[in-house]
């Protein structure tokens, strides 16, 4: 051993000797104090074998090294410090292995870390010695070489050391297996210690564990055994929890606001500690990465000079320093990247919580639902992603300075200044590009907002679109919006292509200018200085190459921050809430003078929505009824009392006590029926049962298989209107509040149910409560203590019912006159008396409200509620489909060829200038620089071609994927939307589509390009020493094993990341829709807590997903650092005649990037599969089973079909699912043409199902339907649905104008539009807005009352002029007077039509030609109303009797409870 190496290695051996000795002493002392040792009952046989072999190997190695040290002293009379220290350390390690063997067997521990590190150190050192000796004597190898004493020890030790090193792996593996068994045993015994350890794996991990990500091993172990689910994933550290991060940001934002700061400063202030630590790792990583270019000059000079044994040791030391620098670079890079991702998780959690909190306090008329969803799904994600780039802002100048220092050291002052000037020039040139990128990205986001908004609205109302056969038109609109987005995306990606070309060319430009200046100022260029400069430019190329992405990310993040900042400011302006006030008095509500307006900021609509001119006090316990015509302001007055409408003037309305609210449009949460009723309150069994009884829910619950634990779909999609109304009424009653606000709670239920709810609920259970209820059922007014009559947004009258009726000028008198007229139309007084004799006042039969609707869909709902996740690796067909989606993959070979030619010319140009610089005098300066420029310029051209083709493919692929997905979604049956939350579809249209637009193509291409670069470097290395191929193959095999081990767990984590995002969006969407109810019930904290839990679920999956990637990267990095180290050892030890110094220097130069490039390959390899899950999810939605064809060319009906409108039902059986029961059971009847048919029945009798069968929303299982002798199942859906007209139960308006709501297909003139508005009594309302037909309609028609929406839907139907019309509860929310006028209009306008009316109101169907009574899916009665009324025992007769009984003036008063 040479003296230059003997001493340092001897010191390292001594250090390990001391470390092992300390460990033995400390551990023995600890063992002596322990009393809680757990002995294993069963030790695996393999475990025993390995634990026995290890000490044996130690003994052999100790003997070998001791013998060699003795032999060395005996023969050469010298004491080698290295040999003696090595022998002594092995002897002590032998003692340590024997000592630890007992505890390993006894307690199932792994080998001590100090021994494992010693094995690793000894293995690497022996590998170096063996390699050096082999390469030095490669040409003269024979048997005698291996028999030399100094060689025997090394060659015999090497396999033993390898076995020792790999012994650590089986030990760990066996320990994990045994721990798994222990977990099972502990679970049997009820213990949860292992679970607790897994939960706190990261928190309790030591420095070494965190540095190498060993704390992830339990998750990988579990991932190998079973499919990972959310409960298997430990929680995130405290700093990343949503509650902590959100509170930190809000505190910071509060302080910043006081200082007039911005959201950016608030975020920075809340994460500055994590950011600072992360910056330290980034800085150390940067310094370590520049060690290579700094030392490459020394290394190339060493290779170029004459060397002896001592200089070889110098070369080995250089190689070792290179290896240490690369290892330090890898370790700090992994910590840097993981720390950045942790900060991103924290920022995402904080911003999501902040936006949700603001959303719960924002008033109506604020930011739209879709805009808020886009803030979460796109902007928050973008800001979180920026945390990965944030240090690039300050690292870039640091890297430039370090590069200039190295250039100055090698080339001198002038070339360094030239290089700096060109670098600055390139960066300055990027400014206009950055501005352009920012502007284009803003345009993309605006276009995306519009598309997502339209998509969200369409998904909410997709049933209506299909019933009207409008889906093709609305799909075309979405395609147009996407086309606008695509055009901006195309410009953006082509701009990115220009930036890519500019910055791939910039290192070439810098090197050309620098070397040119060197020639001009006659600076001597040598292979060493040239290669050092090239290595510097190559490392500098990464930040310069990342600069466009950094600038782009800064631009995008700034846009996203501005959007969120604008939302927060907008919220601060719009927050206008009245909180309940507790006041010990007899006053419940104090209404003071003032003005309120939904559209306070609307420049076109100056008139206030509600104008209160007189003070009014409502006492505790009073029942207050609000009545009035459609659009008079009933619902708005209730909202004023709740504080939901912005106050323009006046002191406001004071509400004293807790509140409950039942909105007119039911708001139902996803979850169980019980959860909807309890709404966060504890179960009080007696109260709960009373509420179910009063709200007529017992029959429903008893009918459902799971009772009140039955799952309810999104927005209560699988409940009928009556069920939704009764469930939300039960929710309000169970809340046991002081004051109740009920907005038309009886309109969606039939006469029997309405009476039951009024008596049992309002007059009995809530008898001591203050109740304010708006209603159109005038028969419910007399029981009120006070009646408020609304007209044009003002309280036209307020008094007791008797006083208002006595006043002939009161608005209520006109309403009552219309009501009496309705009663007279139904039955003459004498006939009513005969009926009433058979129907005593309390003869309300047990109300049959058992609904088949929810039962029909329950099985399918529960089967599909959880989002389907693929298992296993992403199928290769997903990759091949994606790659060949655009132009059938024709451009892919061209792009690959461009990359290969670029890489080849880059290597060629670098080799040329290094070789030519060494040929002093034989190559002219002009030839040197000219050839270099030519080769470098050629490579830049290929980069430009690659970038342009990539942009073209990316745009086309994204566009085609979107078109196929959205077309497939639009062609899906209605049942798909019933069981698939809209947030799940929106997630694919927003987050996944954004990933496909701008991320996946470049990730996938980046992987391929990096692989080409990696292979080119390996090929280049093999030109110097072919042996590197063998070593590379070994490392590659280990890397593949690691990757295979990793991907099983990582894949499931990545899928969970995608799946766990949707519940957050769904909760957002649901909360925004019911924000008024949430606030009224004072449930903000509970809903906020729920979203915090959902964010934490997402964060814990994302946290471990990022960590697993770093776990893999750090191991693969180390392996490839070994490859580089191995190459350097070869270069040092090979004879000079065997290598070209320029080529060898070039290999070393490229080798500096080997680990970075490899890490990029592995990172992209894993990230691509994770990102490809977005493509997989989109492709899932391109294969949705579709409805029947829209048009069947061979079976198209006549243009004028249907002419008569005759409908024949024959033995019709309907079921919603093959596993579900029949809903319609053998319905056979004929609806004659030009007749009016009323369809009545108890709630859930099959009325809506009959309508759906007519429109083929659900196909007949048995039987058929003929319209004018045409079997509707044999024609296309568009031909069928476009010839029918319908007003659905839930009135639907789209955001836009009155014009495009009446005529979405733009087929009618303004004159026709005004005509139908006049017939539906809407013309005067529309004329109040100066924009007339272009007056705005808010999202979901929120600025129109429900009754007005129903009238618009009626106008839309009359405009279509169809032969067959279906009215499904068409006037349920319209006052009696308006209803009478509307019924008259319907009779006049549809005299030549077949009209099918599904109604709860008896007056709506009493004058029909025929009445069909359904009962449990069968026809109970079908005849003329007069004939049915002749039979007092008929179902229809009982329905009419009940309506008449409750509608007579004095009955409500007489029917006491």
């Amino acid at each position: 051993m040479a003296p230059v190496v003997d001493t340092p290695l001897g010191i390292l051996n001594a250090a390990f000797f001391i470390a092992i000795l300390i460990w033995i002493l400390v551990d023995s002392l600890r063992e002596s104090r322990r009393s809680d040792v757990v002995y294993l009952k069963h030790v695996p046989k393999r475990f025993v074998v390995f634990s026995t072999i290890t000490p044996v190997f130690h003994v052999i190695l100790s003997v070998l090294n001791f013998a060699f040290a003795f032999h060395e002293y005996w023969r050469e009379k010298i004491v080698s410090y290295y040999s003696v220290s090595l022998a002594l350390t092995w002897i002590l390690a032998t003692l340590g292995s024997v000592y630890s063997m007992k505890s390993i067997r006894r307690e199932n521990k792994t080998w001590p870390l100090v021994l494992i590190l010693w094995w690793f150190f000894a293995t690497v050192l022996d590998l170096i010695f063996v390699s050096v000796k082999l390469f030095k004597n490669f040409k003269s190898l024979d048997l005698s070489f291996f028999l030399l004493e100094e060689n025997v020890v090394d060659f015999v030790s090497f396999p033993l050391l390898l076995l020792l090193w790999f012994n650590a792996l089986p030990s760990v593996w066996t320990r994990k297996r045994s721990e798994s068994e222990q977990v099972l045993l502990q679970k049997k015994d009820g213990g949860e210690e292992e679970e607790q350890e897994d939960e706190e794996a990261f928190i309790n991990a030591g420095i070494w564990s965190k540095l190498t990500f060993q704390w992830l091993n339990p998750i990988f172990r579990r991932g190998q055994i079973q499919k990972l689910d959310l409960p298997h994933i430990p929680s995130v550290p405290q700093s990343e929890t949503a509650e902590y991060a959100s509170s930190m940001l809000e505190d910071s934002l509060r302080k910043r606001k006081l200082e007039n700061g911005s959201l950016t400063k608030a975020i920075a202030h809340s994460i500055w500690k994590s950011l600072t630590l992360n910056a330290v790792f980034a800085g150390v990583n940067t310094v370590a990465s520049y060690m290579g270019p700094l030392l490459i000059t020394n290394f190339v000079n060493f290779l170029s000079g004459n060397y002896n044994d001592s200089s070889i040791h110098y070369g080995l030391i250089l190689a070792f320093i290179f290896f240490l620098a690369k290892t330090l670079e890898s370790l700090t890079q992994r910590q840097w990247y993981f720390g950045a991702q942790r900060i991103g998780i924290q920022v995402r959690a904080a911003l999501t919580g902040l936006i949700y909190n603001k959303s719960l306090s924002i008033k109506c008329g604020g930011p739209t639902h879709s805009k808020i969803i886009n803030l979460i799904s796109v902007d928050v994600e973008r800001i979180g992603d920026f945390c990965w780039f944030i240090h690039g802002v300050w690292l870039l100048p640091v890297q430039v300075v370090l590069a200039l220092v190295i250039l100055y050291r090698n080339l001198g002052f002038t070339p360094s200044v030239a290089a700096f000037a060109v670098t600055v020039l390139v960066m300055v040139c990027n400014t206009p590009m950055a501005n352009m990128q920012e502007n284009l990205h803003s345009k993309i986001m605006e276009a995306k907002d519009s598309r997502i908004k339209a998509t969200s609205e369409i998904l909410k109302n997709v049933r209506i679109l299909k019933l009207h056969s409008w889906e093709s038109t609305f799909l075309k609109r979405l395609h147009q919006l996407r086309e606008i987005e695509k055009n901006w995306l195309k410009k953006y990606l082509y701009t990115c292509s220009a930036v890519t070309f500019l910055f791939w060319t910039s290192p070439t430009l810098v090197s050309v200018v620098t070397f040119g200046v060197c020639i001009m100022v006659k600076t001597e260029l040598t292979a060493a200085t040239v290669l050092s400069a090239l290595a510097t430019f190559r490392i500098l190329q990464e930040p310069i190459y990342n600069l466009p992405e950094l600038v782009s990310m800064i631009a995008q993040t700034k846009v996203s921050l501005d959007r969120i900042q604008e939302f927060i400011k907008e919220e601060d302006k719009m927050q206008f809430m009245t909180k309940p006030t507790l006041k010990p008095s007899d006053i419940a509500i104090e209404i003071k003078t003032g003005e309120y307006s939904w559209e306070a900021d609307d420049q076109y609509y100056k008139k206030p929505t509600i104008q209160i001119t007189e003070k009014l006090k409502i006492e505790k316990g009073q029942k207050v009824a609000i009545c009035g015509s459609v659009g008079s302001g009933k619902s708005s007055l209730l909202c004023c009392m709740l504080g939901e409408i912005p106050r323009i003037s006046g002191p406001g309305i004071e509400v004293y006590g807790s509140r409950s609210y039942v909105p007119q449009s039911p708001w139902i949460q996803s979850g169980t029926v019980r959860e909807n009723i309890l709404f966060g309150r504890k179960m009080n069994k007696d109260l709960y049962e009373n509420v179910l009884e009063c709200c007529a829910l017992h029959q429903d619950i008893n009918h459902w298989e799971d009772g009140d634990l039955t799952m309810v779909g999104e927005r209560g999609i699988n409940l009928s209107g009556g069920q939704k109304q009764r469930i939300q009424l039960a929710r309000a009653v169970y809340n046991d509040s002081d004051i109740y606000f009920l907005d038309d709670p009886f309109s969606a239920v039939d006469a029997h149910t309405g009476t039951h709810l009024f008596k049992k609920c309002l007059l009995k259970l809530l008898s001591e409560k203050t109740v304010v209820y708006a209603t159109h059922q005038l028969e419910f007014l007399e029981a009120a203590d006070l009646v408020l009559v609304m007209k044009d947004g003002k309280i036209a009258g307020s008094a007791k019912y008797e006083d208002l009726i006595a006043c002939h000028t009161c608005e209520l008198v006109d309403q009552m006159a219309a009501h009496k007229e309705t009663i007279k139309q139904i039955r003459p007084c004498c006939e009513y008396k005969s009926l009433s004799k058979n129907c005593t006042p309390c003869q309300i039969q047990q109300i049959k409200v058992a609904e088949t609707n929810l039962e029909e869909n329950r099985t399918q709902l529960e089967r599909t509620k959880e989002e389907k996740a693929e298992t296993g690796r992403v199928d290769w067909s997903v990759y091949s489909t994606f790659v060949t989606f655009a132009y059938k993959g024709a451009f892919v070979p061209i792009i690959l060829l461009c990359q290969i030619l670029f890489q080849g010319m880059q290597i060629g140009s670098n080799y040329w200038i290094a070789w030519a610089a060494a040929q002093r005098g034989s190559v002219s300066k002009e030839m040197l620089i000219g050839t270099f420029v030519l080769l470098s310029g050629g490579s830049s051209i290929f980069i430009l071609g690659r970038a342009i083709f990539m942009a073209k493919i990316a745009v086309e692929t994204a566009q085609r994927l979107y078109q196929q997905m959205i077309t497939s979604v639009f062609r899906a049956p209605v049942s798909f939307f019933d069981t698939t939350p809209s947030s799940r579809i929106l997630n694919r249209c927003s987050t996944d589509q954004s990933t496909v637009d701008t991320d996946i193509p470049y990730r996938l291409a980046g992987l391929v390009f990096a692989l080409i670069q990696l292979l080119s470097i390996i090929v280049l290395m093999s030109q110097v020493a072919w042996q590197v191929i063998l070593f590379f193959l070994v490392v590659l095999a280990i890397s593949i094993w690691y990757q295979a081990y990793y991907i099983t767990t990582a894949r499931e984590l990545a899928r969970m990341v995608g799946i766990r995002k949707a519940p957050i969006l769904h909760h957002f969407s649901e909360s925004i829709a019911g924000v008024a109810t949430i606030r009224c019930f004072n449930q903000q904290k509970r809903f906020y807590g729920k979203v915090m839990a959902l964010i934490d679920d997402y964060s814990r999956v994302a946290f471990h997903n990022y960590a697993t990637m770093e776990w893999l990267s750090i191991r693969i990095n180390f392996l490839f650092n070994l490859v580089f180290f191995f190459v350097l050892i070869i270069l040092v030890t090979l004879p000079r005649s065997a290598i070209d110094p320029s080529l060898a220097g070039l290999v070393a130069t490229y080798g500096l990037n080997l680990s970075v490039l490899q890490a990029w390959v592995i990172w992209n390899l894993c990230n691509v599969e994770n990102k490809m899950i977005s493509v997989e999810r989109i492709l899932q939605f391109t294969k949705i089973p579709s409805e029947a064809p829209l048009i069947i060319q061979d079976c198209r009906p006549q243009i004028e079909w249907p002419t008569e409108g005759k409908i024949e039902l024959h033995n019709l059986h309907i079921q919603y699912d093959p596993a579900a029961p029949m809903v319609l059971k053998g319905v056979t009847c004929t609806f004659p043409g030009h007749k009016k048919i009323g369809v009545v029945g108890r709630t859930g009798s099959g009325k809506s199902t009959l309508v759906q069968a007519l429109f083929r929303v659900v196909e007949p299982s048995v039987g058929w339907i003929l319209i004018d002798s045409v079997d509707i199942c044999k024609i296309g859906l568009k031909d069928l649905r476009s010839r029918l007209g319908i007003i659905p139960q839930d009135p639907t308006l789209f955001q836009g104008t009155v014009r495009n709501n009446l005529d979405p297909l733009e087929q009618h003139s303004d004159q026709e539009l005004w005509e139908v508005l006049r017939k539906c009594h809407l013309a005067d309302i529309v004329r109040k807005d100066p924009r007339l037909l272009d007056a705005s309609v808010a999202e979901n028609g929120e600025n129109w009352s429900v009754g007005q929406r129903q009238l618009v839907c009626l106008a839309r139907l009359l405009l279509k002029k169809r032969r067959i019309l279906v009215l499904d509860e068409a006037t349920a929310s319209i006052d009696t007077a308006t209803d009478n006028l509307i019924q008259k209009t319907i009779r006049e306008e549809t005299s030549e039509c077949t009209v099918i009316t599904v109604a709860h109101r008896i007056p709506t169907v009493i004058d029909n030609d025929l009445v069909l009574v359904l009962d449990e899916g069968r026809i109970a009665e079908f005849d003329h109303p007069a004939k049915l009324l002749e039979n007092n025992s008929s179902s229809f007769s009982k329905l009419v009797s009940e309506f008449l009984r409750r509608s007579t003036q004095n009955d409500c008063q007489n029917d006491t409870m």
Side-chain angles (χ1 to χ4, degrees), residues 745-994:
F746 313 114
S747 60
V749 295
D750 56 39
H752 281 315
T753 311
T755 302
H756 178 90
L757 293 178
F758 186 76
K759 288 187 173 184
K760 295 283 187 181
C761 198
L762 263 73
L763 300 183
K764 184 179 180 182
L765 195 59
L766 302 180
S767 59
E768 297 180 2
K769 305 287 186 178
T770 306
V771 182
V772 182
Y773 61 97
T775 183
H776 287 300
Q777 278 82 356
L778 301 184
E779 58 270 24
F780 294 139
L781 296 182
E782 192 169 358
D785 299 304
L786 179 67
V787 177
L788 304 180
V789 182
M790 297 299 296
K791 183 177 182 181
D792 295 330
K794 298 178 181 178
I795 301 177
S798 60
K800 287 185 175 292
Y801 175 76
E802 296 82 1
D803 297 336
L804 290 172
I805 290 296
C807 179
H808 298 292
T809 60
C810 182
E811 177 75 13
L812 183 61
V813 174
D814 297 333
Q815 295 284 334
M816 288 305 300
H819 183 60
K820 290 177 181 178
E821 185 66 26
T822 301
I823 302 300
K824 290 178 181 177
Q825 290 175 2
I826 294 176
R827 198 80 161 126
C829 185
C830 59
E831 292 181 322
Y832 164 67
K833 288 178 181 177
S834 66
L835 277 171
S836 61
K837 289 176 184 177
N838 298 307
C839 189
T840 60
C842 297
Q843 190 192 354
I844 306 176
Q845 300 175 359
Q846 179 62 38
I847 300 172
K848 288 189 178 181
V849 289
E851 310 229 7
T852 58
N853 195 12
L854 189 125
E855 181 67 28
E856 295 150 10
N857 292 334
R858 183 183 58 78
T859 305
Q860 188 176 11
L861 173 71
E862 290 182 348
R863 186 172 63 248
T864 57
K865 186 169 180 62
E866 282 295 325
E867 183 171 355
K868 179 188 174 186
E870 300 290 341
T871 56
R873 67 175 299 114
V874 175
D875 198 83
W876 283 111
S877 61
V878 176
Y879 290 92
S880 61
T881 302
F882 182 76
V883 170
T884 59
F885 224 65
Y887 311 109
K888 297 183 178 179
F891 287 127
V892 174
I894 299 173
I895 292 173
L896 292 177
L897 182 62
C898 285
Q899 176 63 24
I900 292 168
L901 290 173
F902 160 74
Q903 193 63 33
M905 296 187 82
Q906 278 275 302
I907 293 174
S909 65
N910 292 339
Y911 177 68
W912 161 259
I913 196 162
W915 176 83
Q919 309 301 315
R920 298 175 184 175
S922 58
V923 177
S924 66
K925 296 177 180 178
E926 292 78 10
M927 173 73 73
L928 183 147
I929 201 71
T931 306
F932 181 69
V933 170
L934 190 64
L935 289 171
S936 301
S939 67
S940 299
I941 291 172
F942 287 117
I943 276 293
L944 179 62
R946 187 195 83 179
I948 292 173
F949 283 125
M950 272 297 303
K952 191 174 184 66
I953 285 180
V955 172
E956 190 63 26
T957 302
Q959 186 69 1
R960 292 191 181 186
L961 271 173
Y962 174 78
Q963 287 176 343
Q964 282 202 13
M965 174 185 67
I966 203 68
T967 302
S968 176
V969 168
F970 267 67
R971 291 289 298 118
V974 173
S975 59
F976 169 79
F977 301 97
D978 290 346
T979 57
T980 305
S982 60
S983 58
R984 198 175 294 173
I985 303 172
L986 283 174
N987 206 17
R988 283 165 170 82
C989 291
S990 57
T991 306
D992 289 330
Q993 188 61 45
S994 294

Side-chain angles (χ1 to χ4, degrees), residues 654-830:
E654 294 291 340
V655 178
Y656 304 110
S658 58
R659 307 167 300 171
S660 289
Y661 174 50
V662 177
Q664 189 172 16
S665 298
W667 177 70
I668 302 294
Q669 283 185 275
S670 301
T672 64
V673 174
R674 180 186 293 179
E675 288 170 349
N676 271 280
I677 295 173
L678 297 181
F679 205 55
R681 291 175 64 88
K682 292 181 180 179
M683 168 64 81
N684 180 332
K685 196 65 180 176
D686 294 336
L687 176 61
Y688 186 72
E689 290 298 323
N690 283 339
V691 169
L692 294 182
E693 173 65 28
C694 293
C695 295
L697 283 169
H698 264 309
Q699 283 289 339
D700 300 77
I701 289 172
N702 293 336
H703 185 75
W704 299 331
E705 183 179 340
D706 295 329
D708 60 355
L709 297 179
T710 300
M711 295 300 296
V712 178
E714 184 183 21
R715 304 189 310 276
I717 194 77
N718 55 331
L719 294 171
S720 72
Q723 280 178 322
K724 286 189 278 190
Q725 193 70 276
R726 284 181 284 120
I727 287 174
Q728 70 165 358
L729 180 60
R731 175 176 66 207
V733 175
Y734 187 82
N735 195 46
D736 194 23
S737 302
D738 299 321
I739 305 166
Y740 289 82
F741 298 92
L742 314 181
D743 194 353
D744 201 10
F746 313 114
S747 60
V749 295
D750 56 39
H752 281 315
T753 311
T755 302
H756 178 90
L757 293 178
F758 186 76
K759 288 187 173 184
K760 295 283 187 181
C761 198
L762 263 73
L763 300 183
K764 184 179 180 182
L765 195 59
L766 302 180
S767 59
E768 297 180 2
K769 305 287 186 178
T770 306
V771 182
V772 182
Y773 61 97
T775 183
H776 287 300
Q777 278 82 356
L778 301 184
E779 58 270 24
F780 294 139
L781 296 182
E782 192 169 358
D785 299 304
L786 179 67
V787 177
L788 304 180
V789 182
M790 297 299 296
K791 183 177 182 181
D792 295 330
K794 298 178 181 178
I795 301 177
S798 60
K800 287 185 175 292
Y801 175 76
E802 296 82 1
D803 297 336
L804 290 172
I805 290 296
C807 179
H808 298 292
T809 60
C810 182
E811 177 75 13
L812 183 61
V813 174
D814 297 333
Q815 295 284 334
M816 288 305 300
H819 183 60
K820 290 177 181 178
E821 185 66 26
T822 301
I823 302 300
K824 290 178 181 177
Q825 290 175 2
I826 294 176
R827 198 80 161 126
C829 185
C830 59

